[in-house]
């Protein structure tokens, strides 16, 4: 029996659970949250959509980790958004406490699971989940690059007025400032991106992608994006449960690729039953490799902040 758990039944978690359930690729999707009744109510609602949408996957809502036992994949979305007056370090402390506690429960009930982290700040939370779990690093990965690449693809398709499904866009590195666009891996149909858009326009779209989350938050006022984020996380889950070997940009542990090691970083990787089956060292330009190395240094500095927190 295949089973996926999503921890956190907020916007991101519940949409991720819904997408996985609707694909009908696992027997059970378990949603858990600290708020009593929330996952149960959402699960009941989703299960009632099954005859209409046409899928068999059962969604289970629970506040008890015992129900998550034996999961093949666990997605961690639990966490708080940054509230007014909260510093970056405050948020780091709160979410680190949550991710640590959640990871301990995952290890207890699903010792063979692949863990996919989406809680922000992503690089630190992925590193923390890996450390707390003690799992082999390939079985703990984070979602960031799939989302940024999807946003970039959307902007390219709108600006160049081309079919979204003809666009291949790749971003690596980290989120925000240290996101590394990879024009050499971007294309529209069989044309390189540089044949379709000029360099200045590409730069503008890269900037818009870097700020993609903030642009949506500015519209929503409260809460953050979840449709594209959940699509990205669910696609990673799918690659694991189907052991597909799909190649996607994920936050993976580096072991010397591009001369970078001992840090989680957004790179292309082959995803299968064991999580990251292989980090793919793509044929990047010198500038792109330099961007990745800079991002690795920035992530390592942010991870060092974790040591100041009393967990
Ligand atoms: N265990 C389980 N669930 C928890 C815990 C915990 N210890 N602490 C908080 N939660 C739950 C909350 O009760 C809430 O239902 O996590 C959920 C978070 O949901 P939202 O506030 O809707 O946030 P969401 O938009 O889903 O984002 C979740 O993903 O993109 C990141 O920055 C985002 O870190 C945030 C995470």
């Amino acid at each position: 029996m295949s089973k996926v758990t999503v921890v956190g039944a907020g916007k991101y978690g519940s949409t991720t659970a819904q997408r996985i359930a609707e694909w009908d690729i696992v027997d059970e999707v378990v949603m858990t949250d600290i708020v009593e009744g929330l996952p149960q109510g959402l699960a009941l609602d989703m299960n009632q959509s099954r005859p209409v949408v046409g899928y068999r996957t059962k969604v289970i809502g629970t506040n008890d980790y015992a129900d998550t036992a034996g999961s093949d994949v666990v997605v961690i979305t639990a966490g708080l958004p940054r509230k007014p007056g909260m510093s970056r370090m405050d948020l780091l402390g709160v979410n680190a406490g949550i991710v640590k506690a959640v990871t301990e429960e995952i290890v207890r009930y699903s010792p063979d699971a692949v863990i996919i982290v989406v809680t922000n700040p992503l690089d630190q939370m992925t590193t923390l989940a890996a450390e707390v779990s003690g799992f082999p690093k390939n079985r703990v990965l984070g979602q960031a690059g799939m989302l940024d690449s999807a946003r970039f693809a959307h902007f390219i398709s709108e600006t160049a007025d081309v079919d979204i499904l003809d666009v291949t866009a790749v971003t690596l590195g980290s989120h925000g400032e240290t996101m590394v666009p990879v024009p050499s891996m971007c294309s529209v149909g069989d044309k390189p991106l540089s044949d379709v858009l000029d360099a200045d326009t590409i730069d503008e779209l890269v900037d818009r992608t870097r700020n993609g989350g903030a642009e949506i938050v500015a519209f929503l006022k409260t809460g953050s994006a979840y449709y594209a984020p959940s699509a990205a996380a669910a696609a990673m889950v799918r690659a694991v449960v189907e052991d597909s070997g799909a190649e996607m940009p994920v936050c993976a542990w580096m072991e010397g690729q591009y001369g970078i090691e001992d840090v989680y970083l957004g790179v292309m990787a082959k995803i299968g039953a064991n999580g990251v089956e292989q980090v793919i060292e793509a044929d990047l330009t010198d500038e792109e490799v330099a961007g990745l190395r800079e991002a690795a240094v920035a992530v390592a500095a942010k991870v060092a902040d974790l040591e100041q927190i009393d967990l």
Side-chain angles (χ1 to χ4, degrees):
M1 194 188 77
S2 52
K3 180 168 173 176
V4 173
T5 287
V6 179
V7 182
K11 299 283 199 192
Y12 198 150
S14 58
T15 325
T16 303
Q18 181 194 8
R19 291 189 187 284
I20 297 164
E22 288 187 354
W23 284 336
D24 219 0
I25 51 170
V26 293
D27 298 297
E28 278 182 8
V29 176
V30 180
M31 250 189 313
T32 181
D33 201 285
I34 40 161
V35 178
E36 283 190 18
L38 176 67
Q40 291 86 343
L42 293 173
L44 185 57
D45 194 7
M46 280 184 211
N47 283 327
Q48 291 167 355
S49 75
R50 295 189 302 161
V52 184
V53 181
Y55 65 93
R56 295 192 175 85
T57 297
K58 264 188 107 166
V59 183
I60 291 149
T62 181
N63 306 110
D64 182 353
Y65 278 93
D67 295 323
T68 71
S71 294
D72 303 294
V73 187
V74 180
V75 184
I76 303 181
T77 79
L80 295 192
R82 188 156 152 185
K83 300 207 177 95
M86 219 179 177
S87 74
R88 199 177 58 80
M89 278 306 276
D90 291 341
L91 179 71
L92 181 65
V94 172
N95 281 354
I98 292 173
V99 167
K100 177 172 185 262
V102 166
T103 304
E104 285 166 353
E105 296 291 346
I106 296 169
V107 172
R108 184 164 164 217
Y109 287 103
S110 301
D112 299 319
V114 169
I115 300 179
I116 297 175
V117 181
V118 312
T119 303
N120 277 317
L122 195 267
D123 307 306
Q124 287 111 312
M125 293 306 112
T126 307
T127 308
L128 180 66
E131 275 172 14
V132 172
S133 68
F135 285 3
K137 296 281 200 304
N138 58 291
R139 276 181 31 220
V140 182
L141 59 161
Q143 189 296 116
M146 279 288 280
L147 171 60
D148 288 335
S149 302
R151 284 178 170 154
F152 193 24
H154 168 73
F155 295 141
I156 291 168
S157 126
E158 294 283 290
T159 307
D161 195 19
V162 293
D163 184 346
I164 181 72
L165 298 186
D166 281 341
V167 180
T168 302
V170 178
T171 69
L172 303 177
S174 179
H175 247 346
E177 275 311 295
T178 41
M179 183 193 93
V180 181
V182 190
S184 70
M185 292 176 81
C186 297
S187 57
V188 177
D190 53 8
K191 291 186 193 143
L193 181 59
S194 52
D195 281 8
V196 180
L197 293 173
D198 62 59
D200 287 348
T201 307
I202 294 173
D203 282 348
E204 279 167 28
L205 300 187
V206 165
D207 274 347
R208 196 168 168 202
T209 304
R210 278 207 175 98
N211 299 311
E215 184 177 350
I216 291 172
V217 169
F219 279 119
L220 296 179
K221 312 278 193 301
T222 58
S224 50
Y226 52 95
Y227 287 116
S230 63
M236 289 168 66
V237 170
R238 183 172 199 152
V240 176
V241 296
E242 293 185 338
D243 192 20
S244 70
E247 294 179 9
M248 40 183 79
V250 302
C251 178
W253 184 247
M254 299 296 285
E255 292 175 324
Q257 298 88 353
Y258 306 107
I260 300 167
E261 59 186 358
D262 294 341
V263 68
Y264 269 97
L265 193 66
V267 284
M268 290 299 291
K270 211 174 254 191
I271 307 301
N274 301 303
V276 173
E277 304 286 354
Q278 191 197 341
V279 169
I280 297 162
E281 208 163 344
D283 192 13
L284 304 183
T285 64
D286 289 349
E287 193 187 342
E288 290 162 350
V289 172
L292 265 189
R293 293 196 179 129
E294 245 174 67
V297 171
V299 171
K302 283 198 285 172
V303 166
D305 286 346
L306 272 176
E307 281 152 29
Q308 295 171 36
I309 292 168
D310 196 15
L311 285 171

